[in-house]
Amino acid sequence: GISGAITTRLSLLAKIGYGNAFTDNEVDVLPLLGQLELGYFVSATAKVKGGFLRRISPQPFFGFVNENTFYTGWNQSFGAVQLDITGEAGFYEYGDVRTVGPGSGDDARSEFFVGAGSASSYAMTDWLTLGVGNNFELRESNNEDLTFIDAAGDVQVSGIDFGYLYNDLFVSLSARY
């Protein structure tokens, strides 16, 4: 990929890659991964950015999940303190042959989400940073239209509405070397 300044105020991040679920099941996986982000430096200490991110991640029950996210954010520095505010919207595509739709057998689980987050960090030294943040995602799943079938072919769960709020509170300690 590439990352850098286009002009004194514009920055670009572009990455492309390959990913695969490497499962024994015959599941369609779009292996193209990547990120495209455009940033604008409002001032020497403030930046607004927006972009698209596509990645694949392992998932215990479904084997893998494709994540497609449109995002925007604001970064502000106050000396050693960094503040970040983000917003995002996108969808998850789960893949596993154990998830089938009623009748047709070809529906897969998917989720639409919108989210917001904030984080702050403090550079304690030139090489050590302490951070804290919180992210919220409101997710709406098509799971109410799906039936789960185990390996023996028995129905385990059917017709549950999975609209829910996902909250991620985190603390980080980063060291640069």
Side-chain angles (χ1 to χ4, degrees):
I2 61 170
S3 176
I6 299 172
T7 68
T8 57
R9 294 232 182 228
L10 288 176
S11 65
L12 176 69
L13 171 66
K15 299 188 288 186
I16 192 165
Y18 173 84
N20 199 329
F22 299 108
T23 63
D24 293 335
N25 301 327
E26 293 183 18
V27 179
D28 290 334
V29 179
L30 179 60
L32 181 63
L33 309 176
Q35 182 176 8
L36 182 63
E37 176 182 296
L38 185 63
Y40 178 75
F41 291 94
V42 178
S43 68
T45 60
K47 178 182 178 182
V48 64
K49 63 182 179 180
F52 176 76
L53 172 67
R54 177 172 169 75
R55 63 183 167 194
I56 186 171
S57 302
Q59 207 279 343
F61 186 75
F62 294 98
F64 68 92
V65 60
N66 287 325
E67 180 181 341
N68 302 280
T69 307
F70 292 93
Y71 63 90
T72 186
W74 178 275
N75 307 102
Q76 181 72 52
S77 295
F78 301 99
V81 176
Q82 173 83 26
L83 299 177
D84 299 311
I85 299 172
T86 58
E88 63 183 4
F91 57 97
Y92 297 115
E93 300 168 303
Y94 294 85
D96 190 283
V97 295
R98 292 177 290 187
T99 307
V100 296
S104 68
D106 60 358
D107 294 335
R109 179 174 175 185
S110 62
E111 292 180 347
F112 171 76
F113 65 91
V114 292
S118 63
S120 62
S121 61
Y122 174 69
M124 300 187 301
T125 67
D126 289 344
W127 59 274
L128 191 62
T129 303
L130 176 66
V132 63
N134 196 17
N135 294 318
F136 291 98
E137 282 185 7
L138 179 60
R139 298 181 180 182
E140 187 62 40
S141 176
N142 70 337
N143 195 50
E144 66 271 6
D145 299 331
L146 301 178
T147 302
F148 292 88
I149 300 177
D150 66 11
D154 300 324
V155 174
Q156 296 297 318
V157 180
S158 179
I160 296 178
D161 184 11
F162 276 113
Y164 59 97
L165 178 66
Y166 174 81
N167 183 32
D168 181 20
L169 176 64
F170 60 91
V171 176
S172 65
L173 183 63
S174 303
R176 290 186 209 187
Y177 53 92

